[in-house]
Amino acid sequence: MHRKPDGSWDKSRLPSRHTTEGPSRAPHRSYYYAMGLGSREIAQPFVGVASCWNEAAPCNTALMRQAHAAAEGVKRAGGTPREFCTITVTDGIAMGHEGMRSSLVSREVIADSVELTMRGHAYDALIGVAGCDKSLPGMMMAMLRLNVPSAFIYGGSILPGSWHGRDVTVQDVFEGVGKHSAGQMSLEDLCDLEQHACPGDGACGGQYTANTMACVSEAIGLALPLSSALPAAYLHRDQYAEATGEAVMALLERNLRPRDICTREAFENAAVVVAATGGSTNGGLHLPAMAHEAGIRFTLRDVAEIMKKTPYLADLMPGGRYPAKKMGEAGGVPMLLRTLLDAGLIHGDCMTVTGKTIRENLEGVVFDETQDVIRPVSNPLSPTGGVVGLWGSLAPDGAIVKVAGLKHTKHRGPARVFDGEEACFAAVESRQYNEGDVLVIRYEGPRGGPGMREMLSTTAAIYGQGVENIALITDGRFSGATRGLCIGHVGPEAAAGGPIGLVKDGDIIAIDADAGTIELEVSPAELEHRRREWTPRRTNYQSGALWKFAQGVGPAHLGAVTHPGAEAETHVYADL
């Protein structure tokens, strides 16, 4: 579409014409000459190569290398790459303290900053390189928002650590804190474990949020097949990055855009893959947010309905046996998609960044019966998905729980209420709770936190203490590494006057993850009385980025988004 008969590029419909074409743009071109470009490069399409590189955590340290490789692929295919970086807030380091309030907010900042860079400099296409929990959805949200030809590349998982002859991940360290507080692990062992759990570059090495969203990037069609399989430390990952650079140029030539790829059916495929891999509950937050950017209404209920019908197939940590590296060795997402497609559980006709459909991409892929990481649909780990939605009087807008590998799926007990995670963590660390309790952490929602913090420090401590007959409920979030009966995203949140804000110590709460229910056993009359007495709480964040986020953020079941989305658009950047 954008090629002339002589093979040169016709930029008359491309955004970069606004900065590179005609006499009036001589000043703009002078900047490009200053950076070493020649007239041929300036006449080519400009491709933004956005990376979330930083030294905050190992999930990000290999991204610059891969961004450079993607840029080489763009050059080889006749484009002009323009590399830039955006932020990441890394959950593993933000976990368990005030820093976690920045995490979900960073998803919006990533999407916004990529949008602003692309708009400000009129780039024609986008490659996104990301490696951490919020940077993956944030980057894909930017692609859907801008709707220029785009392709995503995951930075790769970390290799598992080795400790006392077994594979370990950072989750073992979080749970080790609980074991230590329960007297089941010495301080010397805990300190030794922390030095062996994370051996180098890459995102947390189980089916936690980063790897869950990496699988989504392939399943939804925005990433090349198998591109999420190799660990970050493997230098031949760079070949996938180069191929991604070449692929985005082919997309540009065909004018094949993210919203052509990410249809309603593609989002359904993504939800199937989250469930089939026992993925992070955060998939129920990020998929609605991504769909919002494309003008598709895809809520927590939609995600949960799909998950209810999806078998749990991938035996991955934290609920299963294997680290993320093993899934790649077993054939990765294509191997999983093969058995799902053969069983009629995904839509095979969805387009992808290869220019082919899911079904066409899977031609020649034969399910490997010799590996035992990914089960066939005929022999699932369990007949329904690893993540389920809950609704009831405590959560009229819904809640979500990961049940992958979980035996304790029903619970009824008295509430222990905590206004904020720190108070609950202190009680857990000192064992000031009883088996059978329902721990309620509230005022941690998107608005009330603000920022909807994750609670891995608390849940890992409980698990490390060996307590199973307990439940934890929050209007905040849980990490993809969380295991146990831990229910997040309860909505409406406490700050919005939701029922979770009306719970009192001793109230009986009944949870049934099999039936998908969560009930507060308090009479409607009593709840109405409490509601009349309830008053909003003022947070400590009355200025700055967290304040701005709290003013505009919507409910969790719609993705905790901060702007009206594609439904309200009067223009699309790609067509300016």
Side-chain angles (χ1 to χ4, degrees):
M1 180 178 178
H2 295 301
R3 289 276 195 182
K4 298 177 182 177
D6 64 0
S8 63
W9 287 88
D10 176 7
K11 297 180 78 170
S12 63
R13 300 284 300 276
L14 293 177
S16 65
R17 73 186 185 277
H18 296 297
T19 58
T20 62
E21 300 288 292
S24 65
R25 297 306 183 231
H28 305 65
R29 292 191 294 271
S30 71
Y31 284 116
Y32 289 117
Y33 286 116
M35 291 183 281
L37 298 187
S39 57
R40 179 176 61 82
E41 288 93 349
I42 295 171
Q44 294 175 163
F46 280 29
V47 179
V49 182
S51 158
C52 296
W53 176 88
N54 58 50
E55 293 182 330
C59 27
N60 308 310
T61 46
L63 300 183
M64 186 73 79
R65 184 195 88 217
Q66 295 176 65
H68 291 337
E72 289 303 313
V74 170
K75 289 179 187 176
R76 195 156 53 234
T80 300
R82 298 285 83 198
E83 293 186 47
F84 62 94
C85 287
T86 185
I87 69 158
T88 311
V89 173
T90 298
D91 288 6
I93 288 178
M95 193 71 68
H97 58 90
E98 289 292 301
M100 180 49 78
R101 301 192 193 284
S102 300
S103 173
L104 183 59
V105 182
S106 76
R107 185 190 72 179
E108 307 306 301
V109 172
I110 290 162
D112 291 352
S113 61
V114 172
E115 177 195 359
L116 293 173
T117 300
M118 294 286 292
R119 282 185 182 276
H121 305 103
Y123 296 156
D124 303 313
L126 173 62
I127 296 169
V129 190
C132 208
D133 292 8
K134 307 307 169 298
S135 59
L136 277 83
M139 195 66 75
M140 289 187 275
M141 287 163 65
M143 293 173 177
L144 288 158
R145 184 184 303 177
L146 293 161
N147 205 33
V148 290
S150 302
F152 179 84
I153 178 76
Y154 178 42
S157 73
I158 198 169
L159 291 167
S162 180
W163 189 67
H164 291 186
R166 65 183 179 91
D167 286 345
V168 291
T169 71
V170 70
Q171 177 192 344
D172 294 276
V173 188
F174 275 103
E175 292 177 1
V177 173
K179 290 179 179 177
H180 174 62
S181 70
Q184 297 167 15
M185 177 180 278
S186 68
L187 181 59
E188 290 75 18
D189 275 354
L190 181 60
C191 293
D192 189 45
L193 172 61
E194 74 181 51
Q195 294 178 44
H196 290 86
C198 300
D201 292 335
C204 299
Q207 197 62 354
Y208 315 143
T209 305
N211 278 300
T212 298
M213 296 309 296
C215 291
V216 162
S217 72
E218 288 191 46
I220 209 165
L222 287 175
L224 294 178
L226 267 181
S227 61
S228 65
L230 291 173
Y234 290 6
L235 295 183
H236 44 293
R237 271 201 68 79
D238 294 5
Q239 295 171 19
Y240 282 98
E242 290 179 25
T244 300
E246 294 172 352
V248 85
M249 293 303 297
L251 293 171
L252 189 59
E253 191 162 354
R254 291 181 57 177
N255 198 29
L256 185 59
R257 300 178 177 188
R259 295 185 197 175
D260 302 324
I261 291 168
C262 296
T263 60
R264 168 78 191 206
E265 290 75 19
F267 278 99
E268 291 174 0
N269 287 349
V272 167
V273 165
V274 173
T277 59
S280 169
T281 54
N282 283 312
L285 186 73
H286 299 321
L287 289 177
M290 289 168 58
H292 180 73
E293 301 287 358
I296 297 168
R297 186 172 175 84
F298 193 69
T299 70
L300 175 62
R301 188 177 288 276
D302 295 312
V303 174
E305 287 298 317
I306 291 164
M307 290 174 171
K308 191 188 298 181
K309 300 180 289 189
T310 304
Y312 169 36
L313 303 177
D315 197 358
L316 297 169
M317 297 176 175
R321 295 178 293 164
Y322 295 112
K325 171 178 179 282
K326 295 293 186 181
M327 180 165 171
E329 292 170 356
V333 175
M335 189 64 63
L336 177 69
L337 293 177
R338 176 78 272 169
T339 190
L340 290 168
L341 180 64
D342 291 346
L345 293 173
I346 58 170
H347 305 283
D349 296 331
C350 292
M351 184 55 64
T352 74
V353 291
T354 65
K356 299 178 180 179
T357 64
I358 291 278
R359 180 176 284 105
E360 290 170 334
N361 286 342
L362 293 176
E363 286 178 8
V365 176
V366 178
F367 189 80
D368 182 1
E369 300 283 355
T370 66
Q371 56 80 34
D372 67 344
V373 181
I374 304 167
R375 298 281 192 95
V377 169
S378 59
N379 182 31
L381 290 157
S382 66
T384 56
V387 179
V388 299
L390 307 175
W391 278 265
S393 58
L394 185 59
D397 286 346
I400 196 165
V401 59
K402 179 187 279 195
V403 295
L406 188 63
K407 296 173 184 173
H408 181 54
T409 57
K410 297 180 182 180
H411 189 92
R412 182 176 180 274
R416 283 282 310 282
V417 181
F418 301 91
D419 289 348
E421 185 193 12
E422 285 82 0
C424 186
F425 181 75
V428 168
E429 195 171 35
S430 58
R431 295 298 294 263
Q432 293 178 4
Y433 63 89
N434 298 313
E435 290 205 32
D437 281 351
V438 179
L439 308 182
V440 177
I441 304 177
R442 63 191 182 189
Y443 292 103
E444 290 286 8
R447 189 199 313 176
M452 205 179 182
R453 289 194 291 178
E454 286 186 350
M455 310 291 171
L456 178 59
S457 293
T458 302
T459 61
I462 293 170
Y463 195 89
Q465 290 171 357
V467 179
E468 290 191 17
N469 183 27
I470 198 165
L472 200 155
I473 295 172
T474 183
D475 52 6
R477 297 180 295 121
F478 288 120
S479 164
T482 289
R483 51 181 168 180
L485 189 56
C486 300
I487 297 151
H489 303 201
V490 170
E493 63 174 292
I500 192 172
L502 309 178
V503 180
K504 292 185 177 180
D505 283 340
D507 287 349
I508 300 299
I509 294 173
I511 302 151
D512 188 337
D514 298 329
T517 59
I518 180 167
E519 304 292 347
L520 175 60
E521 295 184 1
V522 174
S523 72
E526 172 61 17
L527 278 181
E528 185 54 39
H529 172 70
R530 294 181 189 180
R531 188 171 283 111
R532 285 196 297 270
E533 293 187 334
W534 177 85
T535 55
R537 293 171 83 249
R538 183 180 173 90
T539 76
N540 286 331
Y541 298 89
Q542 296 302 310
S543 65
L546 296 180
W547 179 87
K548 284 196 288 186
F549 177 81
Q551 306 316 299
V553 69
H557 74 284
L558 300 180
V561 294
T562 55
H563 68 108
E567 203 171 287
E569 282 177 349
T570 56
H571 80 269
V572 179
Y573 163 76
D575 294 324
L576 285 179

